Amino acid sequence: MNETHLHQESKYFQKLQEYLREFVYGGIDGAVTTFAVVAGGFGADLDAGIIIILGFANLLADGFSMSVGAYLSAKSDKENYKKHESIEYWEIENLPEVEREEIADIYRAKGFQGELLKKVVDQITSNKDIWVAEMMKDELNLMEETKSPFKIGVATFVSFLVVGFIPLLVYLWTFFHPSLLNIFFWTSVLTGLAFVVIGALKSLVNQTSVVKSIAETVGLGLLAALVAYYVGDILENFFIK
C-alpha cells in the first residue's frame, strides 16, 4: 500500500467523520421513533402486519421530514452567514474608519495596547477578506458552515432509515418466515444494541463519556417505548374493547 493510497483513504475517512454528527442524531431519532411505533402497536395488541405498515410509514415519512428539516436549517445558516458577510464587505468599503475602530475595540478587549495594538489592527485591515472574517467571528459570533446542506440532509435520511429499520427487522423476518420467537423481546434486544452503538458514536461526536452517552441514549429509547406502549394499551382498551 503506497503513501498516496493511504492519504486518499485518510481523506475519505475524514469526509465520513465530517457528517458523523448528522448520522448519529438521525440514527437516534430513527431508532427512537420507530421503536416507539412498534411498542405502541404491541401495547395495543395490533397484528404484526399492521405494526410493519405503521413502522415503515413512520420510517419513510419521519425520515424524509427530518432530512428536509436538517437540509433547510443548514441552508438557512449558510444564507444568513453570506447575508451578514456581504453587509460587512459593504461597511468596510463605505465606513472603513468605523470598522477599523471596531477591530481595535475587539483586540483592545483581548488585552492588546499601544503600538502592538496598532500593528495588529494594521495587519488585519490590510486584507479585506481577513478583516471581514474577523468581524464575522468576533463581532457577530458567526462561523461559516463548510458542510454541504444536501449532504447533511442525505446523511440524516440514510441514518434514520438504516438505524430506524432495526426495530422492524424481527417483525419483517417472522412475517415471511413464521416462527415461535418472542417477537417483541428480540426486537427490544436488537434495538437496545442499536442504541448502545449509536450512543457510543454520540460520545465521539460530543467528546463525552461513552458510558454516560450510551446510558442517555438507551434511557431515551426506553422512555419513548414505555410511553408509546402504555398509550397503545390504554387506547386499545378505550376504543377497541
Side-chain angles (χ1 to χ4, degrees), residues 6-44:
L6 284 172
H7 282 302
Q8 286 175 341
E9 283 194 346
S10 176
K11 191 174 181 181
Y12 181 69
F13 183 67
Q14 287 173 354
K15 273 292 180 185
L16 288 178
Q17 280 187 313
E18 191 177 356
Y19 295 92
L20 183 60
R21 174 179 294 273
E22 286 71 30
F23 186 86
V24 166
Y25 286 102
I28 289 173
D29 199 54
V32 168
T33 57
T34 309
F35 188 51
V37 168
V38 170
F42 180 74

Side-chain angles (χ1 to χ4, degrees), residues 71 148-155:
Y71 164 77
S148 159
F150 177 76
K151 289 180 180 177
I152 286 174
V154 169

Side-chain angles (χ1 to χ4, degrees), residues 191-235:
T191 306
L193 290 174
F195 283 137
V196 168
V197 173
I198 209 77
L201 289 174
K202 183 162 75 74
S203 74
L204 290 177
V205 170
N206 296 335
Q207 295 296 298
T208 55
S209 163
V210 175
V211 174
K212 180 183 177 183
S213 183
I214 290 173
E216 287 176 346
T217 308
V218 172
L220 175 64
L222 180 61
L223 180 61
L226 284 173
V227 170
Y229 173 83
Y230 284 109
V231 168
D233 185 52
I234 291 168
L235 292 179

Side-chain angles (χ1 to χ4, degrees), residues 77-225:
D77 287 344
K78 272 187 172 290
E79 289 171 348
N80 182 60
Y81 184 91
K82 290 299 181 184
K83 180 186 75 174
H84 284 91
E85 186 181 51
S86 65
I87 291 172
E88 289 298 330
Y89 272 111
W90 184 91
E91 289 177 345
I92 283 173
E93 289 288 346
N94 295 276
L95 304 167
E97 291 306 314
V98 174
E99 293 300 294
R100 181 184 171 86
E101 187 56 35
E102 287 181 355
I103 288 289
D105 289 340
I106 289 169
Y107 278 85
R108 192 176 292 115
K110 293 181 179 182
F112 290 81
Q113 295 178 357
E115 187 63 26
L116 179 59
L117 175 63
K118 183 177 182 303
K119 286 181 178 179
V120 169
V121 172
D122 287 344
Q123 181 63 35
I124 290 172
T125 56
S126 67
N127 184 304
K128 289 182 182 179
D129 293 333
I130 295 175
W131 191 351
V132 168
E134 285 292 313
M135 298 299 289
M136 295 296 290
K137 177 170 67 72
D138 290 317
E139 183 192 28
L140 301 178
N141 296 315
L142 292 175
M143 297 293 289
E144 186 174 13
E145 176 60 81
T146 58
K147 293 188 286 189
S148 159
F150 177 76
K151 289 180 180 177
I152 286 174
V154 169
T156 302
F157 186 63
V158 169
S159 65
F160 193 102
L161 290 184
V162 170
V163 185
F165 176 70
I166 292 172
L168 297 172
L169 191 58
V170 180
Y171 274 89
L172 200 62
W173 176 263
T174 54
F175 184 81
F176 291 105
H177 304 280
S179 70
L180 297 177
L181 282 176
N182 185 325
I183 302 175
F184 187 70
F185 171 78
W186 287 108
T187 293
S188 301
V189 169
L190 285 178
T191 306
L193 290 174
F195 283 137
V196 168
V197 173
I198 209 77
L201 289 174
K202 183 162 75 74
S203 74
L204 290 177
V205 170
N206 296 335
Q207 295 296 298
T208 55
S209 163
V210 175
V211 174
K212 180 183 177 183
S213 183
I214 290 173
E216 287 176 346
T217 308
V218 172
L220 175 64
L222 180 61
L223 180 61

